[in-house]
Amino acid sequence: DAGITQSPRHKVTETGTPVTLRCHQTENHRYMYWYRQDPGHGLRLIHYSYGVKDTDKGEVSDGYSVSRSKTEDFLLTLESATSSQTSVYFCAISAERDYGYTFGSGTRLTVV
Amino acid sequence: EDKVVQSPLSLVVHEGDTVTLNCSYEVTNFRSLLWYKQEKKAPTFLFMLTSSGIEKKSGRLSSILDKKELFSILNITATQTGDSAIYLCAVDFTGNQFYFGTGTSLTVIP
């Protein structure tokens, strides 16, 4: 949808295991973001990227790392998943820093 | 602490009603405000507002920003069941990211 895809769409994993979520875009946009969405909290930024190998932390970055080795791919890694990381994860892209975002369809992650 | 507050949290109306959703913000260095509609999946973009007093309009939806009083409203006229969704407001005050409110859940019943 609109040149942005997330994988997997759903994942169930066990506490303590590493997990990597992928965001792929075909729009050649410079900015990419990872958000998590939880009831009562809305969308909260985890990490974002402003170019290849250029990333920065958002407001809820603890327990997460990211990598961007190519313009089109932005990976989110949970090094050791915890139950508090059960959430819906959205990737978003934008062409410029203060443009509106286009969101991917989300990844529903359950940590048991 | 900067924050974005949306009200009401939820709303149930009948088809044909007009609704007004509110987004207030307490931020320094305001840059822009976004409205999104979220149905079952990804939020979809509705409006971006940067200037006070200029109404943005798309069909039955419209939005306006008041930078003096620090709020924005989203109006939906002649509501339809397809308008049922969560409406999200987000504010950029850093130039690097948007901060989202928790959303207003709108249910339109036939």
Side-chain angles (χ1 to χ4, degrees):
Chain A
D1 191 26
I4 176 171
T5 56
Q6 291 184 233
S7 59
R9 296 293 303 274
H10 302 272
K11 185 170 182 66
V12 179
T13 192
E14 292 186 350
T15 298
T17 60
V19 176
T20 295
L21 310 183
R22 181 179 184 239
C23 178
H24 178 78
Q25 59 143 332
T26 57
E27 303 295 320
N28 200 34
H29 284 345
R30 178 181 174 190
Y31 293 87
M32 299 185 75
Y33 307 83
W34 276 108
Y35 279 86
R36 60 178 289 175
Q37 187 172 35
D38 305 288
H41 290 281
L43 283 156
R44 292 179 292 173
L45 183 67
I46 305 171
H47 283 279
Y48 66 98
S49 170
Y50 47 96
V52 173
K53 295 192 183 343
D54 292 323
T55 65
D56 206 347
K57 295 178 179 179
E59 58 180 314
V60 291
S61 59
D62 287 349
Y64 302 94
S65 62
V66 290
S67 65
R68 192 169 178 199
S69 58
K70 298 184 289 185
T71 298
E72 57 267 35
D73 290 324
F74 192 32
L75 304 180
L76 176 70
T77 297
L78 291 65
E79 301 291 346
S80 177
T82 67
S83 58
S84 65
Q85 293 175 312
T86 292
S87 186
V88 179
Y89 291 85
F90 285 100
C91 177
I93 60 174
S94 66
E96 296 295 335
R97 188 176 62 182
D98 51 1
Y99 280 20
Y101 300 162
T102 299
F103 282 88
S105 297
T107 293
R108 183 173 293 277
L109 176 68
T110 303
V111 183
V112 297
Chain B
E1 179 179 298
D2 297 314
K3 63 180 180 180
V4 180
V5 178
Q6 292 186 246
S7 63
L9 289 181
S10 64
L11 193 55
V12 180
V13 300
H14 288 93
E15 268 192 321
D17 288 350
T18 293
V19 299
T20 298
L21 310 182
N22 299 282
C23 176
S24 64
Y25 56 92
E26 297 177 16
V27 302
T28 54
N29 199 29
F30 172 89
R31 296 174 64 93
S32 60
L33 183 146
L34 304 176
W35 282 99
Y36 282 87
K37 176 183 181 182
Q38 184 175 24
E39 295 173 89
K40 292 196 183 300
K41 295 183 180 177
T44 54
F45 175 78
L46 294 175
F47 300 111
M48 172 180 263
L49 302 159
T50 55
S51 301
S52 243
I54 298 176
E55 184 181 51
K56 293 281 184 86
K57 199 168 172 65
S58 176
R60 297 176 293 102
L61 277 67
S62 64
S63 184
I64 198 161
L65 176 67
D66 187 326
K67 289 167 75 172
K68 182 178 177 185
E69 299 298 329
L70 309 184
F71 75 93
S72 173
I73 60 172
L74 175 68
N75 279 319
I76 308 174
T77 59
T79 51
Q80 303 170 357
T81 55
D83 295 326
S84 295
I86 297 173
Y87 290 84
L88 300 167
C89 165
V91 175
D92 178 15
F93 56 89
T94 66
N96 291 320
Q97 57 187 272
F98 283 91
Y99 288 81
F100 284 79
T102 54
T104 292
S105 176
L106 173 65
T107 302
V108 182
I109 54 179

